[in-house]
Amino acid sequence: MSISCGALLWFGAFAFGWWNAPADSTGLTKVNQEPGWTLFLDILMNNIGVSAALFLGVVTLGLATIPAALITGSLAGYGWGQAAPVLGTAGTIRHLLPHMPLELAAIALSAGAGLVPLLAGARSGLRGHPRRTAWWSQSVDACRLWAVAVAGLVLAAGVETWVST
């Protein structure tokens, strides 16, 4: 449930950003980067930073995840919406599609992990008799989800560095 909600929230914001990206991207240019460990670490740290911001909802009972997902999703969609016309269809397939499905799935998992406490609390409240939730069990579940997301981001950064570049 939390994965579905996190994905819906983040991808909804992504679609909003893409929809609102300017149609004229003539001022943008493609920057060629050399594959290597420096680029890999830059990509990985950027993606883990976004993932950690989404996962922060575990500490704030899920509340920090909502604005983080809306902001990061819309910015990513806006960026993709600008990049696609510059790269063209062949360039988009070559430079974005190899790593983006894995990267976006990992980001959606991070958002889902951050929403675990909020959704667990809502479910317990909707049962009609709120019970004390197993905070530790929820935290462990959220951490497992985030660990899978981070592993996916490591793999996606490798693909982005050595395949998509």
Side-chain angles (χ1 to χ4, degrees):
M1 172 86 162
S2 66
I3 295 171
S4 300
C5 289
L8 183 63
L9 182 65
W10 198 86
F11 285 122
F14 183 89
F16 175 79
W18 189 349
W19 181 262
N20 288 298
D24 181 24
S25 299
T26 55
L28 298 176
T29 58
K30 182 182 176 302
V31 176
N32 291 325
Q33 297 175 315
E34 290 298 317
W37 289 105
T38 302
L39 180 60
F40 171 78
L41 289 174
D42 287 346
I43 292 167
L44 182 62
M45 290 299 107
N46 180 49
N47 290 341
I48 287 180
V50 171
S51 177
L54 294 167
F55 182 67
L56 185 61
V58 168
V59 179
T60 63
L61 301 176
L63 297 179
T65 299
I66 295 169
L70 294 174
I71 292 168
T72 60
S74 60
L75 288 175
Y78 190 86
W80 187 322
Q82 282 188 307
V86 171
L87 294 173
T89 303
T92 300
I93 291 169
R94 164 73 179 91
H95 295 289
L96 294 178
L97 289 184
H99 68 277
M100 286 306 281
L102 183 57
E103 186 175 313
L104 295 180
I107 293 297
L109 273 179
S110 299
L115 290 174
V116 165
L118 179 67
L119 294 174
R123 276 194 307 261
S124 90
L126 290 175
R127 289 187 186 129
H129 55 287
R131 288 187 266 172
R132 186 183 201 178
T133 58
W135 178 83
W136 180 253
S137 176
Q138 294 169 12
S139 298
V140 169
D141 289 346
C143 288
R144 285 181 184 155
L145 275 177
W146 194 49
V148 171
V150 169
L153 290 174
V154 171
L155 184 57
V159 172
E160 186 173 355
T161 300
W162 287 287
V163 176
S164 297
T165 304

